[in-house]
């Protein structure tokens, strides 16, 4: 695909500075952009973009560097969001034939909506429901009585187990498991006995689940992932958790069972929680945070056990001084001992 810089600016509501007739044939990052590519830059990468090979650069509106920027540019309010829109336009869409492959297995009493794609070797078990325009990739399993709503995509080797419900426009990436048994056991005389996990998982609309994520079904009731929440690869959500809307959960995070999380909470990579706690909305937890008790809303925390991010930074700074402080203490002890 080729478009002039002015045509591209019109697509994203941007303003062109320089030659608007430059032909753009591709998009790339600053380091990889070639002489016919468009890239984008925000602070602190604008100086780097000046030296790139890109034909033009998308920049934030009002940027001070605009006065002496040496390349043609498109100015927009949010370069990242505008560039993401362009990536969809410039990337060729994958083309699959609509319909159910004769190499897929469709169980009894399965309801299939309009425009559905079920690829070879997928299994849609008895009584499952597929809404309109659902796409099921090869080697996927949709369990009995599971419901997949309109415009959802489930990639290869993912599993949505029995009775689970997936909302509209969800994305479930390869090898994720929605509805695996919760980790529930009773122990007597050293023997662990499984507690039946008879609940389900509910993914609300616009949820995205990364590869190799496990979302456990509830022991009773539902494990719920709220509308618009995005979960990175290699995350575990325990049984009976309630995750609020528009949360971001980064790779290798573990949320223990029966934890309730408010809306707009971000968990950095490798964050962990104990179970049966409530975590307030509109909060951020830095990577490797350890959350061991209820947390109020509006927090920015780090560390284990978790604490204010500012306090954690002070503690880290203080710890660097400990070796020198120990030397001083030993020196003082010697001096006192010799008196």
């Amino acid at each position: 695909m080729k478009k002039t810089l002015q045509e591209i600016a019109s697509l994203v509501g941007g303003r062109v500075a320089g030659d608007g007739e430059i032909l753009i044939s591709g998009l790339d990052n600053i380091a990889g952009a070639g002489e016919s590519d468009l890239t984008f830059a925000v602070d602190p990468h604008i100086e780097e973009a000046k030296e790139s090979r890109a034909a033009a650069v998308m920049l934030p509106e009002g940027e001070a560097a605009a006065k002496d920027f040496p390349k043609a540019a498109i100015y927009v309010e949010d370069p990242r969001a505008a560039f993401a829109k362009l990536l969809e336009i410039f990337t060729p869409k994958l083309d699959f034939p609509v319909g159910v492959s004769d190499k897929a297995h469709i169980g009894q009493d399965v309801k299939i909506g309009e425009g559905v794609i079920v690829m070879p070797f997928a299994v849609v078990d008895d009584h499952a429901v597929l809404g309109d325009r659902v796409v099921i990739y090869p080697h996927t399993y949709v369990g009995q009585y599971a419901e997949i709503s309109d415009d959802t995509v489930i990639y290869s080797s993912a599993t949505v187990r029995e009775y689970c419900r997936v909302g509209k426009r969800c994305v479930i990436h390869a090898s994720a498991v929605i509805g695996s048994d919760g980790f529930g056991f009773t122990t007597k005389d050293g023997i662990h006995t499984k507690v039946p996990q008879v609940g389900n998982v509910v993914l609300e609309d616009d949820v995205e689940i990364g590869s190799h994520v496990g979302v456990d079904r509830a022991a009773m009731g539902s494990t719920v992932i709220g509308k618009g929440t995005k979960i990175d690869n290699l995350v575990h959500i325990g049984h009976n958790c309630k995750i609020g809307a528009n949360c971001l959960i980064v790779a290798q995070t573990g949320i223990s069972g029966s934890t309730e999380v408010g809306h707009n909470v971000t968990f950095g990579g490798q964050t962990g929680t104990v179970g049966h706690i409530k975590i307030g909305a509109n909060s951020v937890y830095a990577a490797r945070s350890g959350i061991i008790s209820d947390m109020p809303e509006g927090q920015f925390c780090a560390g284990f056990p978790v604490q204010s991010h500012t306090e954690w930074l002070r503690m880290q700074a203080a710890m660097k001084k400990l070796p020198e402080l120990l030397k001083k203490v030993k020196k003082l002890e010697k001096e006192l001992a010799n008196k």
Side-chain angles (χ1 to χ4, degrees):
M1 179 185 292
K2 290 186 178 181
K3 289 186 178 292
T4 67
L5 199 62
Q6 185 60 59
E7 287 173 328
I8 292 172
S10 298
L11 291 172
V12 295
R15 173 178 64 85
V16 173
D19 185 1
E21 297 306 309
I22 292 175
L23 275 179
I24 301 296
S25 59
L27 309 173
D28 210 332
N29 59 32
I30 293 172
E35 294 175 354
S36 61
D37 291 336
L38 174 71
T39 191
F40 82 97
V42 295
D43 277 334
H45 303 292
I46 291 173
E47 290 299 317
E48 183 184 352
K50 288 181 180 180
E51 306 299 325
S52 73
R53 296 172 59 233
V57 182
M58 185 177 288
L59 295 168
E61 188 65 81
E63 176 57 45
K67 295 178 182 178
D68 60 350
F69 199 78
K71 295 178 178 289
I74 298 175
Y75 290 91
V76 294
E77 290 297 325
D78 186 345
R80 285 191 177 92
F83 206 74
K85 182 177 180 180
L86 291 177
L87 286 171
E88 290 187 5
I89 295 170
F90 272 78
T91 303
K93 294 190 180 299
L94 300 176
D95 187 20
F96 300 108
V98 172
V100 177
S101 168
D102 58 5
K103 295 179 180 177
H105 171 79
I106 306 297
Q108 298 179 3
D109 190 34
V110 172
K111 295 183 174 64
I112 298 178
E114 297 180 0
V116 168
I117 298 171
V118 181
M119 298 185 199
F121 311 115
V123 175
V124 182
D125 217 335
D126 299 347
H127 316 294
V129 177
L130 304 182
D132 296 342
R133 299 172 299 281
V134 166
V135 178
I136 307 292
Y137 273 70
H139 302 288
T140 294
Y141 175 71
V142 178
Q144 294 188 18
Y145 298 97
E147 297 180 16
I148 314 297
S149 296
D150 300 351
D151 300 298
T152 284
V153 178
I154 305 179
Y155 285 99
S156 297
S157 301
T159 297
V160 179
R161 277 186 48 183
E162 63 276 9
Y163 297 105
C164 292
R165 302 202 309 271
V166 178
K168 297 178 181 179
R169 300 175 299 278
C170 292
V171 178
I172 300 175
H173 287 280
S175 300
V177 180
I178 309 302
S180 48
D181 283 2
F183 195 67
F185 299 88
T186 59
T187 302
K188 185 176 181 181
D189 299 327
I191 297 173
H192 307 302
T193 303
K194 187 179 182 68
V195 176
Q197 306 291 295
V198 298
N200 71 346
V201 172
V202 175
L203 305 185
E204 296 182 351
D205 296 345
D206 301 301
V207 167
E208 183 154 349
I209 303 292
S211 296
H212 300 281
V213 167
V215 183
D216 289 352
R217 69 194 313 107
M220 294 180 287
S222 298
T223 300
V224 179
I225 310 297
K227 182 177 180 179
T229 285
K230 314 299 183 186
I231 300 179
D232 197 2
N233 302 336
L234 299 167
V235 168
H236 175 229
I237 309 293
H239 59 181
N240 290 94
C241 285
K242 310 291 184 191
I243 308 296
N246 297 315
C247 293
L248 294 172
I249 305 178
V250 182
Q252 299 183 3
T253 289
I255 310 293
S256 295
S258 299
T259 296
E260 295 184 24
V261 177
H263 58 275
N264 294 324
V265 176
T266 296
F267 296 99
Q270 297 185 336
T271 293
T273 81
V274 299
H276 301 271
I277 60 173
K278 294 182 179 180
I279 298 173
N282 299 309
S283 297
V284 175
Y285 294 91
R288 294 189 175 182
S289 293
I291 307 171
I292 61 173
S293 62
D294 289 352
M295 298 296 295
E297 294 188 5
Q299 301 297 297
F300 181 21
C301 293
F304 183 87
V306 76
Q307 58 198 286
S308 158
H309 188 260
T310 301
E311 291 179 5
W312 180 79
L313 287 174
R314 287 175 182 157
M315 186 181 74
Q316 296 303 307
M319 286 177 66
K320 290 181 180 179
K321 299 176 183 178
L322 283 178
E324 189 62 32
L325 183 60
L326 285 171
K327 287 180 183 178
K328 290 180 180 179
V329 170
K330 287 179 179 178
K331 183 180 177 182
L332 288 170
E333 287 176 340
K334 271 188 178 181
E335 291 175 357
L336 288 171
N338 292 332
K339 286 186 178 180

